[in-house]
Amino acid sequence: MHRFTFVLLLSLLLNSAMGQAPKVLIVNAHPDDESGVAVTVYKITQELGGIVDLAVITNGEAGYKYSILAEKIYGHPLTQEAVGRKYLPKIRKKELRAGCNWVGVRKIIHFNQLDTHYTLDADTVLQSVWTVQKIRQQLTQRLTKEKYDYIFCLLPTEETHGHHKAATILALETVKDFKGKPPVILGVSTGTKTDTTQKIFTGLEKYPVTSLRQNSSPAFQIDRTVSFGHKNRLNYKIVANWLIAEHKSQGTMQTFMNQGDYENFWYFDINKPERKEETRLFFEKLGKTPFVK
Ligand SMILES: [Zn+2]
């Protein structure tokens, strides 16, 4: 083998082993749930040269209650349920693609399942609303084809939307049953600097696949407040805002997502314990690579 080819191959292998150019799939219920990992995604695609795809399970039509500011933009009374449910699926797809462009998401895969209404209950969603077999099959096909290193999904806490819980349960089940080398799957939450209470979550009792008993606090963190640029006046919250600002039909996003200082990642128990170290190295690398020095 030519020496240059050997060195190139070795460096690619090392990059892969060190998680320097990773391939990630986000699995979410709604178009806008990706805002919780906006900065991590930006850093992976723009600073490490990695690839991030996004699978969105519902069509987002139940977001009509928050669409008042978008009524003038799109010329429809979107807060009326029938009107919102009719127009929002298309509008939210466009907003999602525009937001994802700012952070470098490659492909967005839509499963177009029904976004019925707000509920805390994941059981009904999984048993009678979504076609779960089809979702699992399609996710498995993607994992087989793309060989992702990581999956990000929302942390399925008791108080979060039932759709968020259901999407994460489906992603976890898919990874658990995957025949090849599975990606490491991580739960995502956001946090603020002012809230210093220790976060503990051990998983949903009814769904053992969500167990975090061995890892019941965030394992990794990306700090959005790292500053850089002229007089250190810029930080990564700006990037999160680019994405959030595209979701014009979801009026409340800017009131709470702007407050997120950290993107936290939880290491689900179904991951092999020995892969935690490579994941730690990946986050360490990601935390050390400011785009502007
Ligand atoms: Zn959501």
Side-chain angles (χ1 to χ4, degrees):
M1 187 185 295
H2 191 279
R3 191 165 175 269
F4 176 75
T5 316
F6 176 75
V7 171
L8 185 70
L9 276 174
L10 189 67
S11 117
L12 281 172
L13 275 171
L14 279 172
N15 272 3
S16 161
M18 298 291 287
Q20 287 175 342
K23 213 168 172 187
V24 177
L25 177 68
I26 306 169
V27 180
N28 282 340
H30 307 120
D32 71 8
D33 293 341
E34 79 293 343
S35 54
V37 284
V39 172
T40 305
V41 171
Y42 178 85
K43 288 173 77 66
I44 291 170
T45 63
Q46 307 304 304
E47 296 172 6
L48 290 189
I51 289 170
V52 179
D53 292 336
L54 168 62
V56 185
I57 293 180
T58 77
N59 64 12
E61 67 179 55
Y64 64 90
K65 288 178 187 151
Y66 299 110
S67 296
I68 192 161
L69 286 168
E71 291 191 336
K72 286 204 167 32
I73 298 170
Y74 298 112
H76 298 292
L78 295 168
T79 51
Q80 290 175 23
E81 182 171 355
V83 179
R85 287 191 184 276
K86 181 179 174 193
Y87 291 103
L88 276 180
K90 201 170 166 194
I91 287 171
R92 298 198 66 186
K93 279 193 178 92
K94 275 178 103 172
E95 291 178 344
L96 179 67
R97 186 60 263 179
C100 283
N101 284 346
W102 296 117
V103 294
V105 170
R106 183 183 67 168
K107 276 185 207 150
I108 302 177
I109 307 105
H110 290 280
F111 290 87
N112 294 310
Q113 299 286 308
L114 216 53
D115 183 13
T116 45
H117 58 276
Y118 180 77
T119 172
L120 286 175
D121 173 29
D123 302 355
T124 319
V125 179
L126 290 170
Q127 284 157 20
S128 54
V129 182
W130 295 351
T131 51
V132 294
Q133 273 313 104
K134 200 172 151 203
I135 298 168
R136 279 203 204 96
Q137 259 174 23
Q138 288 181 339
L139 282 175
T140 305
Q141 280 166 7
R142 290 218 67 78
L143 299 198
T144 308
K145 183 172 170 228
E146 300 288 353
K147 297 183 172 54
Y148 295 105
D149 300 299
Y150 298 101
I151 291 187
F152 298 161
C153 51
L154 292 184
L155 191 70
T157 54
E158 298 288 353
E159 64 272 18
T160 195
H161 198 315
H163 293 175
H164 298 166
K165 293 184 187 106
T168 297
I169 290 164
L170 287 177
L172 282 160
E173 287 174 350
T174 305
V175 169
K176 186 168 165 271
D177 296 340
F178 190 62
K179 303 286 181 239
K181 185 188 177 189
V184 167
I185 180 162
L186 301 168
V188 174
S189 67
T190 52
T192 63
K193 288 190 167 176
T194 48
D195 180 7
T196 53
T197 52
Q198 209 198 343
K199 297 283 175 287
I200 301 283
F201 177 60
T202 54
L204 297 168
E205 284 293 320
K206 271 186 83 172
Y207 292 92
V209 77
T210 64
S211 174
L212 283 150
R213 285 177 192 284
Q214 294 161 44
N215 300 280
S216 57
S217 53
F220 315 106
Q221 190 170 67
I222 291 296
D223 185 351
R224 289 177 171 178
T225 68
V226 169
S227 55
F228 51 83
H230 183 60
K231 295 185 177 172
N232 259 350
R233 296 281 292 277
L234 292 90
N235 69 35
Y236 286 100
K237 283 188 159 191
I238 297 164
V239 173
N241 279 314
W242 292 343
L243 180 148
I244 294 166
E246 295 293 348
H247 290 284
K248 301 272 191 288
S249 70
Q250 296 307 296
T252 63
M253 296 268 295
Q254 269 138 329
T255 65
F256 62 93
M257 282 311 296
N258 271 355
Q259 289 152 22
D261 296 323
Y262 300 120
E263 297 176 3
N264 295 318
F265 295 84
W266 303 60
Y267 196 80
F268 285 110
D269 292 348
I270 68 158
N271 295 307
K272 285 205 163 68
E274 60 267 30
R275 293 185 70 187
K276 200 169 176 183
E277 179 57 14
E278 73 185 55
T279 312
R280 189 190 68 74
L281 287 171
F282 159 58
F283 276 95
E284 187 181 271
K285 172 93 184 151
L286 201 55
K288 278 186 189 160
T289 54
F291 188 56
V292 186
K293 300 206 173 170

